[in-house]
């Protein structure tokens, strides 16, 4: 029995009718990665549950985050005059990142190979992907850090939001079109960053201090590529796919308000967290950037998971995520200075957000496992001996 029944009966009925529909047109994915994943999946034992593969891949990203937090908690290690992250750590980061990417690619193939594909598997996969965004971005940040030749913590905060909104765009598309258009930037970024970690291990972080061209630094290239990819590829393609569905009368939500409803909670989360950043009496983002990013990324994942449940069950997206309700007084307590120790408040709120999100995730997995009469991490049926 689930800890709490977050999924409604209407949504459970929608999951019963669900059929997977996705489009992956990225040349790197189609011609390189899929053949590679088809090769890798043959070596996996047929008793291995796809969700276990998904979870293992996710934990490699969490491990990277924790590993870099140990060596570079404040994102200062890559700056000149500071003790740098050991080369072997960058080697491990590159290997772990590529393993996470590979496992994320083979879990679905293992499900089809073992005839164990379920809506729970897709929800579990995309739900963890939404949380993985923060672990990926924060780990990459340690390459450049916040030094003179690095990226400021405020700049990285807004870059994180560009990545988060780029992620949710795909699920907003599916909420409106019924088809998941896999973003091109994902595969390119995973392969590139895995290589950059390994290169950093060989040449050292000092290499990234040097300009790429004239006064254009690598940190500028990093920022430019993320923003350019989001605004010139991801966003235009998402809008194009939704408009195409509208012209062909296949759009699920023809009403403009209903179509854009999934953005309400993420936008409110952005506003609340940005108010905290801008009006913080102690400049909390400078003091605790890693924890603040973790709080924002986890809260975003919680909001996104609820959208994924709605788009998969073909039900209406709820306008407001309940997590934003307690966050409002927390932000007010912080910016007004009522709570003197802002760092302690951030730590407590971050812990609450993480626990709430884990509780939500475990409850949904248990509820769907019970509904489909399966085990989440085993290929045995729940009613089998």
């Amino acid at each position: 029995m689930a800890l709490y029944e977050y999924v409604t009966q209407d949504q459970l009925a929608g999951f019963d009718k669900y059929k997977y529909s996705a489009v992956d047109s990225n040349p790197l994915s189609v011609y390189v990665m899929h053949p590679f994943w088809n090769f890798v999946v043959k070596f996996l034992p047929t008793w291995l549950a796809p969700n276990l593969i998904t979870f293992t891949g996710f934990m490699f990203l969490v491990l990277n985050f924790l590993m870099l937090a140990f060596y570079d908690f404040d994102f200062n290690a890559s700056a000149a005059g500071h003790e740098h992250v050991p080369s072997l750590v960058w080697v491990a980061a590159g290997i772990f990142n590529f393993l996470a990417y590979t496992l994320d690619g083979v879990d679905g193939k293992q499900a089809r190979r073992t005839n164990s594909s379920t809506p729970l598997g897709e929800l579990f996969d995309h739900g963890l992907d939404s949380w993985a965004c923060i672990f990926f971005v924060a780990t990459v940040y340690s390459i450049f850090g916040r030094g003179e030749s690095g990226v400021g913590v405020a700049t990285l905060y807004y870059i994180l939001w560009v990545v988060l909104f780029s992620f949710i765009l795909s699920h907003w598309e599916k909420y409106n079109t019924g088809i998941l258009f896999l973003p091109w930037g994902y595969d390119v970024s995973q392969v590139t960053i895995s290589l950059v970690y390994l290169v950093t291990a060989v040449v050292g972080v000092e290499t990234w201090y040097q300009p790429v061209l004239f006064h254009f630094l690598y940190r500028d290239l990093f920022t430019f590529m993320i923003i350019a990819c989001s605004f010139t590829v991801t966003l235009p393609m998402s809008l194009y796919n939704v408009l195409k569905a509208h012209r062909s009368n296949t759009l699920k939500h023809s009403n403009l308000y209903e179509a854009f409803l999934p953005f309400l909670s993420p936008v409110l989360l952005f506003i609340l967290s940005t108010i905290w950043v801008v009006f913080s009496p102690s400049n909390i983002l400078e003091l605790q950037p890693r924890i603040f990013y973790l709080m924002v990324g986890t809260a975003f994942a919680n909001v996104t998971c609820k959208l994924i449940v709605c788009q998969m069950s073909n039900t209406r997206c709820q306008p407001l995520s309940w997590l934003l309700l307690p966050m409002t007084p927390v932000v007010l307590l912080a910016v007004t200075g009522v709570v003197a120790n802002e760092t302690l408040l951030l730590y407590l709120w971050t812990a609450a957000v993480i626990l709430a999100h884990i509780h939500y995730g475990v409850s949904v997995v248990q509820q769907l496992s019970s509904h489909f009469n399966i085990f989440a991490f085993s290929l045995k049926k729940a009613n089998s001996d």
Side-chain angles (χ1 to χ4, degrees), residues 13 18 33 48 51 72-73 91 98 101 133 137 146 333 337 360:
Y18 178 75
M33 299 315 303
L48 186 60
N51 287 343
D72 184 26
F73 188 81
V91 172
F98 190 74
Y101 173 50
C133 289
V137 172
R146 59 197 285 195
L333 287 172
Y360 172 79

Side-chain angles (χ1 to χ4, degrees), residues 10 24 29 43 45 68 80 98 109 118-119 155 161 170 194 225 263 268 314 320 336 349 351 366:
D10 285 344
D24 188 357
S29 176
F43 293 94
L68 267 299
F98 190 74
K109 296 183 182 298
T118 64
T155 301
W161 271 109
S170 295
S194 297
M225 285 179 66
F263 287 126
L268 289 176
N314 197 25
L320 189 66
T336 57
W349 175 240
Q366 288 183 342

Side-chain angles (χ1 to χ4, degrees), residues 221-351:
L221 179 63
F222 163 72
T223 304
F224 173 78
M225 285 179 66
I226 291 176
I227 295 174
C229 181
S230 296
F231 288 97
T232 64
V233 180
T234 307
L235 179 59
M237 287 184 72
S238 292
L239 293 175
Y240 169 77
N241 290 327
V242 171
L243 289 172
K244 184 180 176 183
H246 175 67
R247 285 196 299 267
S248 61
N249 292 320
T250 57
L251 200 63
K252 289 178 173 288
H253 307 279
S254 55
N255 180 287
L256 198 64
Y257 171 76
E258 292 295 332
F260 282 89
L261 192 60
F263 287 126
L264 181 58
S265 285
V267 168
L268 289 176
L269 175 61
F270 171 74
I271 291 171
L272 281 172
S273 59
T274 303
I275 286 172
W276 194 346
V277 168
V278 174
F279 297 103
S280 167
S282 64
N283 203 350
I284 193 67
L285 196 59
E286 288 287 340
L287 286 176
Q288 297 290 340
R290 184 177 291 274
I291 302 303
F292 199 91
Y293 298 151
L294 178 60
M295 180 273 291
V296 168
T298 305
F300 173 85
N302 188 258
V303 170
T304 305
C305 283
K306 290 168 183 174
L307 168 60
I308 297 171
V309 168
C310 291
Q311 55 98 336
M312 288 185 66
S313 60
N314 197 25
T315 53
R316 184 177 185 265
C317 179
Q318 293 303 306
L320 189 66
S321 173
W322 70 266
L323 195 62
L324 300 176
L325 298 177
M327 184 173 178
T328 303
V330 168
V331 172
L332 288 174
L333 287 172
V335 300
T336 57
V338 172
V339 176
N341 193 335
E342 199 177 350
T343 296
L344 177 61
L345 179 64
L346 173 63
Y347 271 78
L348 291 174
W349 175 240
T350 302

Side-chain angles (χ1 to χ4, degrees), residues 112-156:
R112 289 182 285 277
R113 179 177 175 235
T114 56
N115 196 29
S116 58
S117 298
T118 64
L120 172 59
E122 183 183 342
L123 176 62
F124 190 70
D125 187 358
H126 295 314
L128 288 181
D129 284 345
S130 68
W131 202 5
C133 289
I134 176 56
F135 301 117
F136 176 70
V137 172
T139 305
V140 172
Y141 186 28
S142 284
I143 296 172
F144 304 96
R146 59 197 285 195
E148 188 177 335
S149 59
V151 179
V153 291
T155 301
L156 199 280

